[in-house]
Amino acid sequence: MEKKEIKKVVLAYSGGLDTSIIIPWLKENYDNCEVIAVSADVGQGSELDGLEEKAIKTGASKLYIEDLKQEFVENYIFPTLKAGAVYEGEYLLGTAFARPIIAKRIVEIAKKEGADAICHGCTGKGNDQVRFELTIKAFAPDMKIIAPWRIWDIKSREEEIEYAEKHNVPLKISRETNYSKDKNIWHLSHEGLDLEDPANEPQYNKEGFLEMCVSPEQAPDKPEYITIGFEKGVPVSVNGERLSPVELIEKCNEIGGRNGIGLVDLVENRLVGMKSRGVYETPGGTILYRAHKVLESLCLDRETSHFKEQIAIKYAELVYYGQWFTPLREALAAFVDKTQETVTGEVMLKLYKGNIINAGTTSPYSLYDAEVATFDKDHVYNQKDAEGFINLFGLPITVAARLKEKREGK
């Protein structure tokens, strides 16, 4: 499709630096095309304030603000939590699983509006370009995609700021505080500036750096207890109070944040092949992952638990790589749902200055049998049986050792 044939573009609009300057750039480079901005509310809070005025002033014809928080939590966050999916052992996928739901809604609006193209502000170095575009391909395989970072002359965030100032685009950032951030109900990420050098310690105690958490040093000197209730692997209550999915995460964020829970400083392997360094704040999510894992230790048998750990690694990769709407991700989700049928109960955790300490777990489906596990006298486990078990379990080792001795002439 030629540039002149693009009359209407739907833009994934956050109001941040990238997407703010994309509106005038699109109009300059695509024959004054109509730009329809779409902002997805996935829990970024005050970042949405004033967006409509800003989008229209910058050149958009209209702005959709879509409240996706409940769907995001129920259909993206909770399935990933149930899977226990963690990328490279630490990243709780906050940005990764937010992209598919946003892109899916943008496709729906683009079809409704009869748009010729969809535009996003992801850089050519990042993971998000893949996540957005794979979702677009899943629901609109023939839709034209415009990715300015891959084709324009702007090469840095400094040049972006200069472009914005030249075109009178209002910005909330400055050159001195220009961290690249992504926020939603699950997390807040920080990249850029001093964080680009892994030798630099993150400035957790610097005013304005952390938004969802306090640093562990600033957390209270007294521990706080929290109890999470689960039904079939899904968190449903906090401290005995049943909450909606969105309310539950907000409550866990509040409690975890004030106790310095969920700070991660990570050098990760991006899908495009490079390493990148980011600092993540995931207070509520870190609590929920820990509680869920503790409950599973009671409710899952050994073989299911161990196999599910392998599945979790693959599930995390699929989410991180933008492959949410794929047969494999959906098949793994079905397996996970089956494993969660008995993951019901309550987990108490003690939070103290960034630490999470197990403080008691109960479940009506617990597989823990105190009479079997006890070191005291019992009537259900015959310790003599262990000898035969060990002989059979160790038979391959025994046979190999005897044959080795025979070959060596011993």
Side-chain angles (χ1 to χ4, degrees), residues 62-262:
K62 68 173 77 169
L63 171 68
Y64 286 85
I65 296 182
E66 302 293 293
D67 186 350
L68 304 178
K69 292 191 293 295
Q70 183 171 332
E71 182 184 353
F72 179 38
V73 175
E74 291 182 340
N75 297 338
Y76 296 81
I77 292 178
F78 283 171
T80 307
L81 168 65
K82 288 191 293 183
V86 183
Y87 184 69
E88 297 190 335
E90 291 191 274
Y91 177 44
L92 299 186
L93 298 165
T95 299
F97 52 33
R99 297 309 182 233
I101 184 175
I102 295 171
K104 180 174 181 286
R105 185 63 184 128
I106 288 171
V107 169
E108 292 167 355
I109 291 173
K111 289 181 175 180
K112 172 186 171 184
E113 289 282 352
D116 303 304
I118 291 174
C119 179
H120 64 74
C122 308
T123 74
K125 289 185 175 182
N127 301 305
D128 281 344
Q129 58 181 336
V130 182
R131 296 163 182 160
F132 267 107
E133 294 184 31
L134 292 191
T135 300
I136 293 169
K137 291 179 185 299
F139 294 100
D142 297 319
M143 179 67 70
K144 169 72 174 177
I145 298 172
I146 301 173
W149 266 107
R150 301 202 295 252
I151 56 177
W152 64 14
D153 295 328
I154 297 172
K155 301 301 181 185
S156 68
R157 291 179 70 80
E158 180 71 22
E159 291 182 12
E160 283 188 286
I161 294 174
E162 291 175 1
Y163 185 95
E165 292 173 345
K166 181 179 178 181
H167 290 77
N168 298 314
V169 176
L171 299 175
K172 294 181 179 179
I173 63 173
S174 68
R175 287 175 170 79
E176 290 74 31
T177 61
N178 188 21
Y179 284 107
S180 176
K181 296 187 178 186
D182 178 77
K183 186 178 184 181
N184 58 47
I185 193 173
W186 187 248
H187 90 155
L188 173 64
S189 65
H190 310 256
E191 294 180 324
L193 297 183
D194 57 307
L195 297 179
E196 291 191 343
D197 185 349
N200 293 329
E201 179 183 3
Q203 301 302 303
Y204 293 132
N205 291 310
K206 184 179 180 180
E207 184 177 356
F209 181 73
L210 296 179
E211 297 180 29
M212 298 179 72
C213 301
V214 299
S215 68
E217 296 94 328
Q218 295 172 330
D221 294 330
K222 181 180 179 181
E224 180 173 358
Y225 288 84
I226 183 173
T227 299
I228 308 295
F230 289 86
E231 292 179 0
K232 295 186 176 181
V234 175
V236 295
S237 66
V238 177
N239 295 333
E241 180 184 6
R242 198 171 184 91
L243 299 169
S244 73
V246 172
E247 291 172 334
L248 185 140
I249 290 183
E250 290 174 341
K251 187 68 173 179
C252 289
N253 281 338
E254 176 189 338
I255 295 172
R258 65 178 176 240
N259 286 283
I261 304 297

Side-chain angles (χ1 to χ4, degrees), residues 196-403:
E196 291 191 343
D197 185 349
N200 293 329
E201 179 183 3
Q203 301 302 303
Y204 293 132
N205 291 310
K206 184 179 180 180
E207 184 177 356
F209 181 73
L210 296 179
E211 297 180 29
M212 298 179 72
C213 301
V214 299
S215 68
E217 296 94 328
Q218 295 172 330
D221 294 330
K222 181 180 179 181
E224 180 173 358
Y225 288 84
I226 183 173
T227 299
I228 308 295
F230 289 86
E231 292 179 0
K232 295 186 176 181
V234 175
V236 295
S237 66
V238 177
N239 295 333
E241 180 184 6
R242 198 171 184 91
L243 299 169
S244 73
V246 172
E247 291 172 334
L248 185 140
I249 290 183
E250 290 174 341
K251 187 68 173 179
C252 289
N253 281 338
E254 176 189 338
I255 295 172
R258 65 178 176 240
N259 286 283
I261 304 297
L263 292 177
V264 171
D265 177 6
L266 174 64
V267 174
E268 66 197 63
N269 289 295
R270 285 183 177 173
L271 173 59
V272 295
M274 70 185 72
K275 291 185 183 290
S276 66
R277 196 268 189 99
V279 169
Y280 299 98
E281 301 177 57
T282 321
T286 302
I287 290 171
L288 293 174
Y289 261 77
R290 175 63 166 270
H292 182 259
K293 183 176 182 180
V294 170
L295 184 58
E296 281 192 329
S297 73
L298 276 189
C299 301
L300 297 186
D301 65 278
R302 182 186 67 196
E303 297 303 312
T304 301
S305 179
H306 288 186
F307 189 74
K308 186 171 178 289
E309 288 179 351
Q310 300 175 49
I311 292 298
I313 294 172
K314 186 60 180 179
Y315 199 108
E317 289 179 347
L318 292 172
V319 176
Y320 190 87
Y321 298 162
Q323 296 172 300
W324 185 272
F325 297 107
T326 59
L328 178 55
R329 206 283 309 170
E330 292 169 359
L332 294 185
F335 165 79
V336 168
D337 284 344
K338 181 64 178 178
T339 70
Q340 300 300 289
E341 290 179 354
T342 60
V343 183
T344 295
E346 290 191 336
V347 179
M348 180 183 290
L349 301 171
K350 181 164 66 173
L351 313 178
Y352 182 66
K353 289 188 175 295
N355 296 288
I356 303 179
I357 303 161
N358 297 352
T361 312
T362 60
S363 170
Y365 299 100
S366 173
L367 297 177
Y368 182 88
D369 189 329
E371 191 174 4
V372 172
T374 182
F375 284 97
D376 294 330
K377 184 178 180 181
D378 67 81
H379 303 285
V380 296
Y381 186 94
N382 185 349
Q383 296 196 30
K384 292 181 180 179
D385 292 344
E387 181 179 356
F389 165 75
I390 295 170
N391 286 337
L392 292 176
F393 189 66
L395 183 59
I397 297 173
T398 302
V399 170
R402 286 174 177 166
L403 293 175

